[in-house]
Amino acid sequence: MRHRKKFNHLGRKTAHRHAMLSNMATSLIMHKRIQTTLAKAKALRQYVEPIINRSKEDTTHSRRTVFSYLQNKYAVTELFQNISQKVADRPGGYTRILKTGFRLGDNAQMCIIELVDYNENMLKEKKETAKQPRTRRSRKKATESAPAAQPQSEAAEA
C-alpha cells in the first residue's frame, strides 16, 4: 500500500532526481526565474522553500546544510547575501508558479517558477494599487461634511 506517499518521483531514480532538483534550485537562485514543466516546478518548490527558509539565519551550520543540498558555493553566497535579505520578513511562500501553456513536442504543461520578491512587474502593480486610496460611497459622510462646511463659510463672512 502507498498510503501518505505523495512525493512525485518524476520518473527518475533517487540520485538522478536529487541531482536534477539541486541543479534546478541553483539555477532558480542564480537567475531568480526558470522555465520548466509544471510537475518539476511543484517538486522544486518543495525542495527549495526549506532551503530559502534556512538562509534567514546566517550561521555556519545553516550554510553547510544549504551547501549539502545545492553543492554550489556561488549559489549559497547569493542566497545568504541577497535573497535572504529580501525574504527576511516573509513567513513563507517564497516562490510563484505561473503556467505558460503546453510544450509543442509532447504537450507537457509548461510554467515559470520564480522568486516572489524578484518580479519587478508584479511589485510595480502592487505599489500602484497601494497608492490609490480606497473610497466608499457613504451617505452618512456626505451629510456630515456638508453642515460642517456651512458654519465655516458663515464665520468667514462675518
Side-chain angles (χ1 to χ4, degrees):
M1 289 181 283
R2 56 179 314 272
H3 296 304
R4 295 177 53 126
K5 295 187 178 183
K6 291 185 177 181
F7 189 79
N8 189 353
H9 298 288
L10 301 172
R12 289 163 172 81
K13 302 281 185 179
T14 305
H16 185 189
R17 186 173 60 249
H18 284 305
M20 182 189 67
L21 289 173
S22 174
N23 290 333
M24 289 175 68
T26 300
S27 296
L28 180 65
I29 289 168
M30 297 303 285
H31 300 293
K32 314 301 187 264
R33 152 190 302 203
I34 58 173
Q35 183 175 4
T36 183
T37 63
L38 185 62
K40 287 180 188 175
K42 287 180 178 180
L44 178 62
R45 178 170 51 189
Q46 287 181 342
Y47 186 84
V48 79
E49 293 222 358
I51 294 173
I52 296 173
N53 200 24
R54 181 68 57 111
S55 73
K56 287 182 177 183
E57 184 180 353
D58 192 3
T59 61
T60 304
H61 176 66
S62 61
R63 279 184 177 263
R64 287 178 177 167
T65 306
V66 168
F67 181 77
S68 71
Y69 284 100
L70 297 180
Q71 296 292 317
N72 186 331
K73 64 181 181 180
Y74 301 111
V76 172
T77 304
E78 175 74 17
L79 180 64
F80 277 89
Q81 285 184 352
N82 299 331
I83 296 173
S84 65
Q85 304 301 322
K86 281 205 170 189
V87 300
D89 57 340
R90 184 177 290 275
Y94 310 111
T95 57
R96 175 186 296 125
I97 294 177
L98 303 169
K99 296 178 183 175
T100 58
F102 296 92
R103 189 161 51 194
L104 288 177
D106 59 354
N107 209 28
Q109 191 167 8
M110 298 299 289
C111 68
I112 293 173
I113 182 169
E114 64 185 6
L115 296 175
V116 172
D117 294 319
Y118 282 91
N119 190 339
E120 289 81 15
N121 295 331
M122 290 194 174
L123 290 176
K124 286 179 186 176
E125 293 173 5
K126 188 176 178 183
K127 288 179 183 176
E128 290 173 2
T129 57
K131 290 180 183 177
Q132 297 174 352
R134 293 186 178 190
T135 58
R136 298 178 77 181
R137 295 183 189 177
S138 175
R139 195 88 164 130
K140 189 174 183 181
K141 286 186 179 179
T143 57
E144 287 177 2
S145 62
Q150 289 176 353
Q152 290 175 352
S153 61
E154 292 173 5
E157 292 174 7

